[in-house]
């Protein structure tokens, strides 16, 4: 140990505090997310993440079964949906599981719909004439079916705070926030800043991915040094034929890049409820979700993870890297 | 024809208008509902009415199939429920069917819930802390889980107008109104007057039954001469064991009283969705609804109607008796 002049210690302490902390933080910038998680820089890490929990009973039941296998290890919940109470009850009873909130501003199906958690007169730009969230709105933050309406970021923030507050009130302790249909990612800086502000306000990491920076340049500029950024995303493409499902995922696992990759998957059972709820189009439909369930709970997937030396990490672990 | 003094005609006209119309109406009081429908006074008439359409996909699918048989000939729809858009689409495409609105002020299940159609801050006495309708409230119009809250009849009227308006906006042309869990019937004069006012305002008959007058004395006093009142109701009792289902209904059909009887039934399929939605109690649960579906679509039921000379009538026919 170096000798220390005790008389000068307080001065030295504040001197170091003022200049050393930013330097120390500066050194951390070089650490990869994998390293912050305690893995080697070139470790291959995966979050196998089931989206849209709460949307139907079928999706809830399939997610619970998938999480039971341990192969699907994270999921996020849609608070405005009718089956939210079922999954809120389950998540509260299983606090060890890695549940985030899937912040929702659309009701994209035709025969089965939901609206805002906030009083609809407080979020007028989010709701259609019948009081549901819009089916869709475009990248210009205008609902495509109602081109005169602009999604107001203040309405979005008000609604999403109501969603998080209902989840907390009903016992959920979310590990992260993500955005249903990436609406808060791909629709401009203002909505992304809402997302980021919610993350900071509730002290929860938000799902952002380095791969998205090129197409959405405002992302990188808005993020701070302490915000967690995942390295890659893999998600099924609508162009992949049903019989090529396992092949698509297998190729992704065999070409897995170092760093943290989130597999964004959509599990559900191909049953009457989910068939009816999604019948107007096949994309993310009942058969699609059954195929995701089948692959990600399979012995084949388990063997591929082992063979490729890919390790599972959760959003709870990711959240714990904040500030490291 | 009697000779008429033409000079005095206007005076006579107004004289007759002022005294003859009430007298003419007075004569109609003696006509039974069966007679107004064009049947003999002692005719045995039945509305086979499926409640709770819109609540789940399973109930929608079973109701559509039951209506297809022609043996179930009327139904009513819960507008605040998530599967309302599916049945709204179906009802709009089948305007010949007899769909009413099942006015709803409760969200009585545990794992699957809904809230008001009106902005929740405009109907504060109807919603719980999480923004759903209360599970339950008592005959003293206080939610049993929130004893300090009183259901405000003005909130009820505001919400129920929003439900009817959404149904109309989405293309439904309802033939009648009824009240989910009889909440507007059994909870005092003020809420019944809301029900009655809605019926008058939208020119729709409301489901009221002479059998209920003794227990709810305010009903008869509030009803006007032109309001339609059914004679009897038959509905399954929670005390009836599953194996006695057909026996219960068969006895009711064999002891059928003259006049108009509504069989209030609850059809659905005993599938994963409905099992999950109703799992906390058996009453009106998935197996219950499957039994109702099975009985009321059976050849046995068809044969009993024929054997007992019981004729099916719809709410559309009942509505047409108004003022007769």
């Amino acid at each position: 140990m170096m000798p220390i002049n005790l008389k000068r210690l307080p001065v030295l302490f504040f001197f170091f505090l003022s200049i050393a902390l930013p330097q120390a933080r500066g050194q951390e910038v070089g650490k990869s997310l994998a390293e912050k998680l305690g893995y080697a820089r070139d470790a291959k890490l995966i979050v196998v993440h089931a989206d849209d929990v709460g949307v139907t009973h079928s999706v809830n039941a399939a997610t619970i079964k998938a999480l039971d296998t341990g192969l699907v290890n994270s999921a996020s919940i849609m608070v405005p949906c009718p089956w939210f109470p079922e999954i809120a009850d389950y998540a509260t009873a299983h606090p060890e599981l890695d549940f985030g909130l899937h912040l929702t501003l659309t009701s994209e199906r035709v025969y089965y719909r939901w609206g805002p958690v906030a009083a609809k007169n407080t979020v007028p730009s989010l709701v259609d004439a019948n009081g549901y969230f819009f089916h869709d709105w475009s990248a210009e933050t205008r609902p495509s079916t109602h081109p005169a309406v602009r999604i107001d970021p203040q309405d979005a923030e008000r609604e999403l705070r109501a969603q998080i507050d209902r989840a907390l009130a009903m016992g959920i302790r979310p590990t992260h926030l993500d955005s249903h249909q990436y609406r808060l990612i791909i629709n401009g800086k203002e909505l992304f800043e809402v997302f980021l502000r919610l993350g900071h306000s509730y002290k929860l990491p938000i799902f952002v991915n380095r791969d998205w920076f090129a197409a959405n340049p405002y992302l990188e500029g808005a993020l701070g040094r302490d915000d967690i950024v995942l390295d890659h995303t893999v998600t099924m493409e609508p162009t992949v034929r049903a019989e090529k499902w396992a092949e698509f995922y297998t190729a992704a696992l065999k070409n897995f890049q170092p760093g943290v990759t989130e597999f964004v998957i959509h599990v559900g059972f191909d049953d009457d409820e989910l068939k009816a709820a999604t019948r107007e189009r096949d994309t993310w439909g009942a058969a699609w979700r059954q195929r995701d369930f089948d692959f990600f709970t399979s012995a084949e997937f388990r063997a591929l993870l082992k063979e490729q030396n890919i390790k599972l990490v959760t959003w709870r672990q990711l959240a714990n890297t904040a500030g490291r």
Side-chain angles (χ1 to χ4, degrees), chain A residues 242-286:
Chain A
E243 66 274 19
K244 298 287 184 186
W245 222 251
E247 197 176 297
F248 174 92
Y249 286 129
T250 301
L253 292 163
K254 289 194 171 174
N255 296 296
F256 205 94
Q257 298 301 303
V260 181
T261 297
E262 176 161 317
F263 270 46
V264 175
I265 70 171
H266 301 86
V267 302
F269 294 134
D270 189 15
D271 61 12
D272 288 344
E273 178 202 17
L274 197 51
K275 279 179 184 157
T278 63
R279 65 186 181 265
E280 71 281 0
R281 68 169 184 277
D282 293 336
T283 315
W284 300 293

Side-chain angles (χ1 to χ4, degrees), chain A residues 71 299-311:
Chain A
L71 290 169
E300 181 187 355
F301 175 53
R302 191 185 294 275
L304 277 161
L305 290 179
K306 194 173 177 194
E307 175 195 300
Q308 300 296 321
N309 196 27
I310 299 168
K311 305 291 185 199

Side-chain angles (χ1 to χ4, degrees), chain A residues 36-55:
Chain A
K36 290 182 188 173
L37 286 160
Y39 287 94
R41 194 172 180 88
D42 63 348
K44 298 194 283 187
L45 304 173
I46 191 171
V47 187
V48 186
H49 189 278
D51 278 22
D52 303 346
V53 198
V55 67

Side-chain angles (χ1 to χ4, degrees), chain A residues 58 167 183 195 288:
Chain A
S58 174
R183 297 284 169 161
F195 192 20
W288 172 304

Side-chain angles (χ1 to χ4, degrees), chain A residues 4-176:
Chain A
I4 293 171
N5 181 336
L6 288 174
K7 246 176 105 180
R8 294 192 62 191
L9 191 60
V11 174
L12 275 170
F13 177 74
F14 285 107
F15 177 73
F16 276 110
L17 194 72
S18 63
I19 62 159
L21 272 184
Q23 281 186 341
R25 277 191 183 164
Q27 290 163 2
E28 297 286 334
V29 171
K31 259 196 185 178
S32 72
L33 193 51
E35 288 169 305
K36 290 182 188 173
L37 286 160
Y39 287 94
R41 194 172 180 88
D42 63 348
K44 298 194 283 187
L45 304 173
I46 191 171
V47 187
V48 186
H49 189 278
D51 278 22
D52 303 346
V53 198
V55 67
T56 60
H57 170 67
S58 174
V59 167
N60 285 354
T63 303
I64 289 169
K65 205 165 171 187
L67 290 168
D68 276 349
T69 67
L71 290 169
V72 175
N73 72 333
S74 189
S76 62
I77 297 173
M78 296 171 78
V79 179
C81 292
W83 283 95
F84 170 69
E86 178 179 63
I87 200 69
D89 181 75
Y90 189 81
T92 305
H94 296 83
E96 73 287 2
L97 293 177
D98 199 59
F99 281 114
L101 301 180
H102 201 53
L103 303 176
T104 299
L105 295 173
T106 45
S107 174
E108 66 271 25
R109 295 292 174 177
V110 174
Y111 301 103
Y112 173 70
R113 306 199 66 203
W114 51 85
V117 173
K120 64 182 181 180
N121 55 5
T122 67
V123 292
S125 72
L126 303 183
V127 292
D128 71 13
N130 297 315
Y132 302 110
F133 282 135
F134 289 106
H135 286 103
D136 190 19
W137 34 272
S138 75
E140 287 74 46
T141 67
R142 287 167 193 279
S144 56
T145 48
H146 292 72
V149 180
R150 181 176 176 275
I151 295 289
D152 183 335
Q154 289 193 313
D155 287 1
E157 181 160 350
R158 197 173 294 118
E159 166 59 18
L160 297 176
R161 285 185 182 274
Q163 292 182 15
I164 300 168
D165 291 343
R166 179 192 274 182
L168 294 172
M170 289 175 70
I172 296 178
R173 296 295 167 260
T175 58
H176 63 291

